[in-house]
Structures are given as structure tokens and as C-alpha cells.
Amino acid sequence: MSIKWKKWTALLLAGLIGFSSYGSARAAGVDQGMVSDGADQDTQAVDTGERTQSEDAGQGIRPENTDQSIQPEDEAQIAQPGDANVTGTDDASAPEGERPVVNAEIGENPGVEADISENDQDIHADITTDDEQDDHVVITEEDKPYLALGANLNNEQKNTVLNLMGVDPANLDQYQVVTVTNEEEHRYLDAYLDASIIGTRALSSVVIVKRDKGDGIHISTKNISYCTIGMYKNALATAGLEDADVIIAGPFPLSGTAALIGAMKAYADMEEAEIDTQSLDAAMNEIVVTGELNESLGDDVRTEEFIAYVKQKVVEGGLQSKEKIQEVLADACDKFEITLSEGEKESITALMEKIGSLDIDLDSLIEQAGSIYDSLKEMESSGGFLSKIAAFFKDLLDAIVRFFENLF
């Protein structure tokens, strides 16, 4: 009896400790697949050696278009979006306070913005990808793709971006090419972000190819550290993009906001149609709102599914009134066990009012962002976001009760 008691006690304690560790890791946002693309990269190689990044780096919207090389007199290190490093002539061993840093985040002073020319310094950053959600898109010249390039790329940066997208720079004249300007970024983002955060350069770029009807949207990203693949899918489906393979790339890790505009410009060019400016405005609004919520929740997949769920219910019900949308939002918070601040409620409601006024086909929305809505179907069929965890605890408690019943 004593041996049996010790055996069962050890097993139960091991199970509880293991589950507690899992829950703590999930709550901290370090469960695999739950960390946003903007999360810090532990170590970045720079000209002067290895430098460890802080735990809270990479949070918030960072300007993808901050100028990228440093005037010799500045000798400053500028923290690039996604925690890439650009190094001037400063010593890596110098105290942190003596190395001016631009680290622009929503609602914060972006700091000292160095005025830099494109030829002063090379950029050193590892290529980053969203491995958890990446659709592993491959586009070839035979696909007759369309390109949208950031207007402020210098030649070296343009070649880097093209190579990441699988485009031979020597054959660029064989492609349909449009550009995305910083002025266009400001046109669509000034209503949602401070102009200093949007910055002065458009750098992220897109290659897109039309696929067969019903294929949906498939996306790969390279060096995009703020906008996740799920965020792009949600927003592009809102904007009306259909059945396309998309690769979005930056010359180094950056936010990727210009790429959303680029994708729609290239798509409109491909379809020989005008851009629906209302839909694109809603899509840009959605990117910002989703990004801000993700900062709060620290879980990109959960954030994307939450926004997709609310959007689905709004489109499905043809909802446009603030009161009805708030009812849907409250229901979603219960299902996902999310608590929103008043500011978050207001921003999501305003976004959904805008989406509700668009002529969006629900079947097309679900088809285009299929992977996200497939997860929502699974969640609802299982009875809720945390139903599996609840079931685990129930089974565990039942096992404990049976154990003591058998014991005595």
C-alpha cells in the first residue's frame, strides 16, 4: 500500500508541475508559435561584435522607413525595427547611454532620428522569417508576377529584397513593377499613427502572382518583424485581395506597413482595376489595431483569431451599429477569455463599424484567409478557446477522486 501511495503521489505531482510550467510559459508569451514577430532576437551580430538585446525589445510599431545609414559625425547606433542593428563608428563596448538609439513605439517619443545617407554604412542583420505561419510561397518568372517596390530602396537594398523574393535583379525589366511611396504610407496611416512613427522612407516590398479561383491567399515574409502573416491575411482579405501567392520582404527586419499598400497596388495592376480606397483604408486600420492588441495580449495567433472572429460575426450579421458590434465584441471576449481596456474596445469597435460598411462577401473572406478561419471552426466545435485545458483539469480531478476512493 505504501509503495502504491508513493507511486501515485509522484505521478500526480509530476503531472501538476508539468501543466503548471506549461501554463506559466503560455502566460509569458513564450509558448512556441505564440510569440509575435516583433519579439526580441536574443543576439544580433554587428560590425563591432555580438550584442545582447533586452527582453522587452521589439514591442510596438517601429518605423520601417527610418533612414538606414549614419552620418559620420553622428557615430550613432540606431535600433532598427525588429531589433536589427545598424552600426556607425561607435565602439560596441561604450556605455549604452552614450549610443543614441531610435526605438519608436506607439505613444512614445521616437527619440533621436539620425539624418543618414544611403552609402555611409552597410546593414548587418540576419534574415528573419515567420516559420510558424509561413506558407512557403515560391514564385518564379514563369508565373508572370507583379512587383511593388519601396520607393526609397537604394540599389544594394533593392538587390537584397529582389533576391529574397526570388527575382533576378538582372531580369527586372521582365516584370510588371509599381512603387510604394512614403507619401502613400502617410495617406493611409496618418489617421492611425503619429507621423514620426510612420517615418520618411518606404522600404518593404512585395511580389504577387494570381492563382486559380478558390486557392485563397498564401503568404511568405522575409525580414518583416511587426506585421505577421496572419495580420496580412486578415487585412488583405478585408481589402478584397483574392487567390494570390504573395512574398513580402525587407532589406533588413522592419515593420512591413508599406507592403500592404504595395500588395494592393500590384494586385490592382494585375487585375487592371482601380484600388478600392475605402477597403484599403480599412485594411490599414486593421493592421494597426491588430498590432496594438497583439502588444497587449502577447500572442499573435490568438490576436489574429480574435479579430477574425469578430470580423466574421460583423460581416455575417451585416452589422453597422455601434451597439450591435459591441455585443459581438463582448461575446468574443467571453469565448477567448480576453479582457480589453476601454481604449481597445473603442478602437476595435470603430474598425468593425468601418468593415461593416464595406461590401464584403463572407464566403470569400473565409476562403481567402482559410487557415485562420479553419482554426476558428475547430475552436468553436471544441466548445471554446480553453476547453481542452478545462477538460484536462476535469480528468485530473476525476483521477484524484478515483485514486482516493480506491485507496480507502
Side-chain angles (χ1 to χ4, degrees), residues 135-400:
D135 291 325
H136 305 291
V137 174
V138 176
I139 297 176
T140 67
E141 187 176 341
E142 288 70 29
D143 289 319
K144 297 181 179 178
Y146 285 69
L147 286 167
L149 299 177
N152 299 114
L153 292 167
N154 63 33
N155 288 334
E156 181 181 357
Q157 293 165 350
K158 183 185 294 184
N159 288 339
T160 297
V161 164
L162 291 173
N163 285 321
L164 289 175
M165 295 190 299
V167 176
D168 184 355
N171 296 329
L172 189 58
D173 59 350
Q174 302 298 313
Y175 294 82
Q176 298 286 336
V177 181
V178 296
T179 59
V180 181
T181 67
N182 184 242
E183 288 75 18
E184 288 172 308
E185 284 191 281
H186 282 277
R187 185 187 311 160
Y188 290 105
L189 284 172
D190 275 351
Y192 314 115
L193 292 173
D194 188 270
S196 64
I197 294 174
I198 300 169
T200 59
R201 290 193 162 195
L203 298 170
S204 58
S205 303
V206 181
V207 60
I208 182 171
V209 63
K210 184 72 173 175
R211 297 303 187 194
D212 295 334
K213 184 173 179 56
D215 278 357
I217 301 170
H218 299 278
I219 298 175
S220 287
T221 60
K222 310 288 183 183
N223 286 339
I224 302 298
S225 60
Y226 176 75
C227 297
T228 67
I229 287 174
M231 287 166 65
Y232 279 127
K233 282 187 179 180
N234 261 336
L236 287 172
T238 296
L241 187 143
E242 295 181 346
D243 306 316
D245 283 352
V246 182
I247 299 175
I248 301 168
F252 44 83
L254 42 73
S255 67
T257 52
L260 186 64
I261 301 171
M264 291 312 300
K265 286 188 72 172
Y267 181 72
D269 199 21
M270 185 168 59
E271 294 288 298
E272 298 181 351
E274 295 293 324
I275 292 178
D276 185 334
T277 55
Q278 285 186 315
S279 296
L280 181 54
D281 173 68
M284 298 302 290
N285 190 358
E286 185 173 338
I287 281 283
V288 174
V289 169
T290 307
E292 290 175 334
L293 182 60
N294 188 41
E295 290 170 31
S296 175
L297 299 181
D299 183 336
D300 54 325
V301 174
R302 191 180 184 191
T303 301
E304 294 154 9
E305 291 180 354
F306 177 79
I307 293 295
Y309 176 84
V310 176
K311 181 165 60 175
Q312 175 186 342
K313 295 304 180 183
V314 168
V315 173
E316 185 177 46
L319 307 181
Q320 296 186 35
S321 73
K322 183 175 182 178
E323 292 74 18
K324 292 292 185 183
I325 291 172
Q326 287 177 334
E327 289 177 9
V328 168
L329 189 57
D331 174 67
C333 287
D334 288 340
K335 285 185 179 295
F336 285 80
E337 298 192 359
I338 288 174
T339 301
L340 300 175
S341 69
E342 289 303 314
E344 288 168 340
K345 290 178 184 178
E346 290 177 6
S347 63
I348 295 172
T349 300
L351 168 64
M352 293 303 161
E353 285 182 280
K354 190 175 295 183
I355 288 175
S357 68
L358 300 175
D359 184 19
I360 297 178
D361 179 74
L362 179 61
D363 292 337
S364 177
L365 183 70
I366 294 173
E367 185 178 73
Q368 298 309 314
S371 58
I372 297 173
Y373 287 97
D374 287 344
S375 296
L376 288 177
K377 290 177 185 176
E378 183 179 345
M379 180 201 77
E380 290 198 287
S381 66
S382 65
F385 186 77
L386 297 179
S387 62
K388 292 182 179 179
I389 295 177
F392 174 86
F393 271 118
K394 182 179 184 301
D395 292 343
L396 182 61
L397 289 172
D398 288 344
I400 292 173

Side-chain angles (χ1 to χ4, degrees), residues 115-141:
D115 182 20
I116 39 185
S117 67
E118 65 184 29
N119 298 317
D120 288 328
Q121 298 293 334
D122 293 332
I123 291 170
H124 298 262
D126 295 331
I127 297 170
T128 62
T129 60
D130 185 356
D131 293 329
E132 284 296 315
Q133 301 186 54
D134 198 289
D135 291 325
H136 305 291
V137 174
V138 176
I139 297 176
T140 67
E141 187 176 341

